[in-house]
Amino acid sequence: MINNRHIRAIVEYLNGGMTPDERQAFQRRLESDEKLRQILGQEQQIDRALLLDKETIPILGAPAFDKFLLKLNTSTAAGDAGHAAQQRFDSALSKGSNGFGNKSMLIGLALVGLTAGGMISAIVFEPVIRQPVPPHTAPALVSRPTPPSAPSQATAPVDSGNAPAVVMEHPARPYSTTRTATADRQADAATRPVGNREQPDTPIDEEDVKSYLKRQDLNTGVHTVGDDSVHARFKVGTSK
Amino acid sequence: MSIQSVTAADNDPQTSVSSKTLEEEALYNRFLAGDNEACIALYQRHNQRLFTYCLKMMGNREQAEDLTQEAWGRLIELKSKGRKLENPLGFLTRIARNLCLDTLKSQRRTLSLDDLPDSVHPSYSMHELSEIEEFAVMSLQNLSFDFREVLVLNIYCGYSFEEIAVMLGKSPRAIWTRASRARAQLRKLVFAVHPNERTPDSSKHVGMEEDHDQ
């Protein structure tokens, strides 16, 4: 009776999976067992058929290799950049584990938060900031630093119509390399005049402001100045 | 012709398989480090056998070529992901296996066996074979996928059962058992229609036409 154990023995015999002793013992058994001999013969016949069939399989030549090389080179060119980025990312992650990366991340988050806050403030307060200030209510302040070596000289006030020009003088402070940035800022604050510190050198003419506002109204389509001619032109331009 | 010429008859097959796997892992690691020559070396070692596997599992040369290329493409793509492999050959075989299975499934959905062209059947250049040997080759296609796979990898591709075990992630014992069953089933398929076939030498000039028609 042939069972799976015998089949396995035949397979091992055919595949060289036996030790020399096992092989000799199997051959002795073959001589006495006709059924086993018959099965072995059939298996050898199948092997021969499959091996002959193997010989008919075409050999993949240059075209397949060219396709492979093309894929390899394309992927390598595209992948190098991605691989480098991946390595940088991995490196950043590994730095994050020793604390330095976490601090950088916190600083980065803080900067992002400050930037976002600043943008929100600009959006909310922009209409208030852009409210035109009547020129006659705000004095034009001019601040001119003078060199420390030169004697202080009074500068003639600039004519700005109704708005009096106030000239503030303060000596140019020599910045010490030994002082800290905080001390420098405090010193600056002490010497600067209080109020609107961003004043133009030349006072603004009130007429210029009015004409500027009119032009803005025309451009934006918002009519705020009681000028009939402007309003009429605007309406003609937009009505059908 | 002896089957022993196909397989590596080393004294210690496990050691041989381990050293081959380590060698291929080293080649793959060199490829990951940017050495494309290492990938080409892997290709030259295994491409023809991978193609043979796909061809015998699919029975169609064009599909086999496409699937082989696709399997290599999947391996190459791993470089951009920086993924390491301990067994590149096993990866390739599994990819090829899955691609073959997917293609066969999609074919079953769209084609019936009657619609298949003659070129699908492995009948190319079989004039050297006797009719019973030709029937043996054709019967291989009637085995289940797992049985056919292990015989194709062993006989056609020349891998030992220990190598196949590593490739497929199975134990060598399981592969030996599967191969034994596959051989038994193939022998039954072939000789069930040729009960009088006793010896290899007497197998020639035996009519099979009546049996085919049954």
Side-chain angles (χ1 to χ4, degrees), chain B residues 9-211:
Chain B
D10 292 327
N11 289 332
D12 191 356
Q14 290 290 353
T15 309
S16 170
V17 171
S18 301
S19 65
K20 275 185 188 174
T21 308
L22 284 174
E23 202 177 318
E24 278 156 9
E25 185 186 359
L27 278 175
Y28 178 75
N29 285 338
R30 275 173 51 199
F31 169 57
L32 274 190
D35 184 3
N36 283 354
E37 295 292 327
C39 189
I40 292 171
L42 278 174
Y43 176 88
Q44 286 171 338
R45 276 188 185 197
H46 297 294
N47 183 58
Q48 182 62 32
R49 293 196 275 191
L50 199 63
F51 166 69
T52 302
Y53 171 82
C54 292
L55 181 63
K56 293 310 294 180
M57 301 311 286
M58 299 301 299
N60 180 289
R61 178 175 176 165
E62 285 75 25
Q63 279 183 336
E65 282 190 33
D66 290 346
L67 296 182
T68 309
Q69 286 288 336
E70 178 67 22
W72 284 108
R74 299 277 179 93
L75 183 82
I76 291 169
E77 282 172 13
L78 292 185
K79 186 186 176 187
S80 61
K81 297 170 186 168
R83 186 181 153 189
K84 297 201 170 183
L85 288 178
E86 289 182 357
N87 182 9
L89 179 58
F91 175 82
L92 277 171
T93 311
R94 281 196 295 274
I95 290 292
R97 184 181 205 268
N98 291 338
L99 289 171
C100 287
L101 279 171
D102 289 347
T103 311
L104 286 172
K105 278 180 191 169
S106 65
Q107 279 181 351
R108 278 194 206 113
R109 280 198 296 268
T110 55
L111 292 174
S112 70
L113 285 175
D114 296 334
D115 296 332
L116 292 176
D118 292 338
S119 60
V120 170
H121 300 294
S123 57
Y124 35 75
S125 304
M126 292 208 294
H127 55 273
E128 291 181 15
L129 303 182
S130 65
E131 290 181 6
I132 194 167
E133 287 168 343
E134 189 173 335
F135 189 66
V137 172
M138 292 178 72
S139 296
L140 182 69
Q141 303 299 315
N142 292 328
L143 292 181
S144 68
F145 191 92
D146 287 347
F147 283 179
R148 188 161 82 246
E149 177 180 53
V150 74
L151 291 185
V152 165
L153 285 172
N154 177 233
I155 296 174
Y156 285 85
C157 302
Y159 294 116
S160 68
F161 290 138
E162 284 75 20
E163 286 176 300
I164 297 170
V166 173
M167 273 187 249
L168 300 182
K170 306 280 183 188
S171 69
R173 186 185 177 85
I175 296 299
W176 272 103
T177 305
R178 189 185 290 182
S180 302
R181 288 177 180 168
R183 276 182 166 274
Q185 191 172 338
L186 182 61
R187 188 166 42 80
K188 275 182 190 172
L189 282 173
V190 174
F191 291 98
V193 293
H194 295 280
N196 295 325
E197 292 295 324
R198 297 281 174 172
T199 61
D201 292 334
S202 65
S203 64
K204 293 180 181 175
H205 312 298
V206 175
M208 292 175 58
E209 299 304 320
E210 299 85 3
D211 297 320

Side-chain angles (χ1 to χ4, degrees), chain A residues 7 11-12 14-15 23 38 41-43 45 47-48 52-54 56-58 60 64-65 75-76, chain B residues 3-4 36 43 48 52 56 61 69 76 125 129 132-133 137 154 156 176 183 187 191 198 200 203:
Chain A
I7 299 294
V11 173
E12 285 183 353
L14 290 172
N15 283 276
R23 195 169 188 82
Q38 179 193 347
Q42 291 174 344
E43 291 289 346
Q45 194 170 2
D47 273 349
R48 179 182 181 277
L52 283 174
D53 181 45
K54 179 191 172 187
T56 64
I57 290 176
L60 279 184
F65 186 58
S75 173
T76 302
Chain B
I3 190 71
Q4 292 170 31
N36 283 354
Y43 176 88
Q48 182 62 32
T52 302
K56 293 310 294 180
R61 178 175 176 165
Q69 286 288 336
I76 291 169
S125 304
L129 303 182
I132 194 167
E133 287 168 343
V137 172
N154 177 233
Y156 285 85
W176 272 103
R183 276 182 166 274
R187 188 166 42 80
F191 291 98
R198 297 281 174 172
S203 64

Side-chain angles (χ1 to χ4, degrees), chain A residues 50-215:
Chain A
L50 299 185
L51 286 172
L52 283 174
D53 181 45
K54 179 191 172 187
E55 301 298 320
T56 64
I57 290 176
I59 304 292
L60 279 184
F65 186 58
D66 288 345
K67 280 184 194 171
F68 166 77
L69 278 185
L70 181 66
K71 197 168 280 189
L72 182 64
N73 291 331
T74 308
S75 173
T76 302
D80 280 349
H83 187 57
Q86 180 72 32
Q87 281 183 334
R88 283 197 299 274
F89 180 70
D90 292 343
S91 172
L93 277 184
S94 63
K95 280 181 183 174
S97 62
N98 62 15
F100 178 73
N102 290 338
K103 285 178 188 172
S104 301
M105 191 176 291
L106 283 175
I107 293 169
L109 283 173
L111 285 173
V112 169
L114 285 172
T115 309
M119 289 174 68
I120 292 169
S121 302
I123 292 167
V124 171
F125 296 108
E126 188 184 27
V128 179
I129 292 168
R130 293 187 65 178
Q131 287 289 333
V133 180
H136 61 275
T137 56
L141 299 179
V142 181
S143 176
R144 295 194 184 106
T146 53
S149 57
S152 176
Q153 294 176 352
T155 308
V158 180
D159 184 13
S160 63
N162 295 332
V166 179
V167 178
M168 299 292 291
E169 288 185 3
H170 61 88
R173 181 178 46 77
Y175 288 88
S176 168
T177 54
T178 58
R179 283 197 300 183
T180 62
T182 308
D184 281 342
R185 280 196 297 274
Q186 286 171 350
D188 272 347
T191 54
R192 279 182 191 164
V194 180
N196 187 359
R197 295 178 184 172
E198 299 295 330
Q199 292 295 328
D201 288 343
T202 308
I204 299 171
D205 187 8
E206 191 175 357
E207 292 301 318
D208 289 343
V209 172
K210 281 183 181 176
S211 64
Y212 170 77
L213 288 174
K214 284 178 185 174
R215 284 199 303 274

